[in-house]
Amino acid sequence: TNLTVTGAEYGFSLTNVDVGYLTDLNASNNVMLDFGGYPIVISATSSFIELDGLDAFNNDENIQLYAPNSSYINITTNDDLYPSGQYSNYTNITVTEGYISNPGSNSVYRNINVDSTTENAMHLGLAAQNIHIIGGNMTTTSGYGVFITNPSGASYPKNNVFEDVYIKGDTADVGLGGDSDPDIASRNHSFINCTYASEVVGPYAELNKKWHYQAHVNDTGGNVVPGATIAVYDKDNVLRESWMTNSSGNVIGNLREYLRVGGTKTYYANYTIYAYNDTHVGNMTINVTTNFMDEVITVSLDNNKPNVFGINVSESGNDMLVSWNTSEPANSSVNYGETTSLGNISNSSTFEI
């Protein structure tokens, strides 16, 4: 407490620290990091750092949180922030005027709020992979609310998730860098229950727009149905999700509204959602343009056999491929053999014989 740092290049600098704790570096404890240099630098050569409580304002350089396997909580600043430590957790981060750049891969960010006046509010760099950002606001008056950078050679961003985030930009709300080579284009970025109005997606870059889905399964007597399979088929009758209800008859997941690759959107609704077990079945059809919460699927005793159609047999080298469709999710089996008496049966889920 009662610490003022002035006239230095670094306020705090941690290098080669295997385990470290920094707490309450904030105004309530009269710790002032307002001096012009780097307010705090935690090097990537350190690890297992816990930082809880940091206020830093009006510095010429950025905040660098590079240590992996670490926890960073309760940070407030108007400086630029580089929270680049991999396999880390970042919680309750507020950045005003500045921006956040190069978050660390394989990390989770919760309640991240950026109100930038200088740059893209949130910029994911080349190594940005498997990042999950949950909750918060990302707004800017200069650039994109969220910008995922252009790829470079073999290094490209992929598999990042934004969930329950409000995004607002100047150029556009969301921007994904693309590439003429589909093998290195930025891909598989998901925006789940995110509020924004505009998106720019470069060539071959992939953006998934998704929504939360929650359902409860009961029977006609109002009894919960645990252990029921929930099978989700898209408008082309392709199975997209398969879940199982918990002990309370509930299931929680996400449904995709569309996949955008470059300038092309592919929509997946309407979805047909089946709920079934060995004795009961029910279904519902929904269009997905918002969250679906607390939906109820009522299943009844299934006395009707499914219809089998679209049977096709084709030869591939020494193998025979048998395919078919059913009018509802169903267990199937194949009887086969080298003579008309058959003699063999398969119940394999893949039906590869």
Side-chain angles (χ1 to χ4, degrees), residues 90-101:
Y90 299 80
T91 305
N92 299 335
I93 311 295
T94 299
V95 178
T96 58
E97 299 181 25
Y99 58 86
I100 292 180
S101 186

Side-chain angles (χ1 to χ4, degrees), residues 35-68:
F35 59 93
Y38 293 90
I40 185 166
V41 174
I42 301 179
S43 170
T45 60
S46 299
S47 61
F48 299 100
I49 304 299
E50 290 189 19
L51 169 62
D52 186 353
L54 169 67
D55 292 347
F57 295 94
N58 304 320
N59 297 288
D60 294 334
E61 303 295 344
N62 52 59
I63 297 172
Q64 299 178 6
L65 307 178
Y66 291 169

Side-chain angles (χ1 to χ4, degrees), residues 3 20 39 63 80 109 154 166 175 180 211 235 243 253 273 282 314 333 339:
L3 173 66
I63 297 172
D80 302 332
Y109 297 75
Y166 175 82
S180 58
W211 301 97
K235 61 183 177 63
W243 305 310
I273 302 176
S314 60
S333 62
T339 67

